[in-house]
Amino acid sequence: YTQGVQNFRGLEKLRKVDGNITIAYNEGLVDFTGFLSLNEVVGDLFVDGNESLRSLEGLPKLENVSGNLWINNVSISNLRGLEVLKEAGQINLTNNPSLTSFRGIEGLLSLGYLNLNNNPKLCGLATFTTHDGKTLEELSMGGVDEQNNCID
């Protein structure tokens, strides 16, 4: 558990990670400022328990997470900051009490697995638009507002 990490300044030149990134339990982290050049994670990007995290901003070039993009127990309301993400092996969105929409991943073209669990304000798949050319292989959903009472 860390209290002093607020951003990732100093990693501006990092372009690729051949492995996993775990960002967990940083009480002061509010966004991803500092990952300005990160284009690819060949592995998992695991974001967990950063309760002050209000935004995924700071990943302006991230196009590919070949493994699992896991966003758990954070305070984001949407996925802005991932606008250039085109491919992900899996996306797991779990236990995010403020998450209301998929806004931010409209550019996603290929996704192997989407898991939505215990995101009580997420208005379902109505905001996860699929266009010709997009691929989704598997879907798991629980704890999503089935009434589509979307707040955007």
Side-chain angles (χ1 to χ4, degrees), residues 47-105:
V47 181
D48 184 29
N50 302 288
E51 295 179 9
S52 297
L53 187 64
R54 303 273 186 260
S55 168
L56 299 177
E57 298 291 332
L59 298 163
K61 294 184 179 178
L62 184 63
E63 291 185 7
N64 186 355
V65 177
S66 62
N68 186 0
L69 174 56
W70 190 288
I71 301 173
N72 180 56
N73 199 29
V74 297
S75 298
I76 59 172
S77 62
N78 57 56
L79 300 172
R80 287 189 179 126
L82 298 175
E83 286 86 356
V84 299
L85 186 68
K86 292 181 179 25
E87 295 182 49
Q90 300 180 24
I91 294 179
N92 289 282
L93 301 171
T94 59
N95 304 313
N96 299 298
S98 301
L99 186 64
T100 60
S101 82
F102 292 101
R103 188 168 304 242
I105 59 169

Side-chain angles (χ1 to χ4, degrees), residues 123-135:
C123 61
L125 293 176
T127 57
F128 187 76
T129 58
T130 54
H131 298 91
D132 291 336
K134 289 190 179 188
T135 304

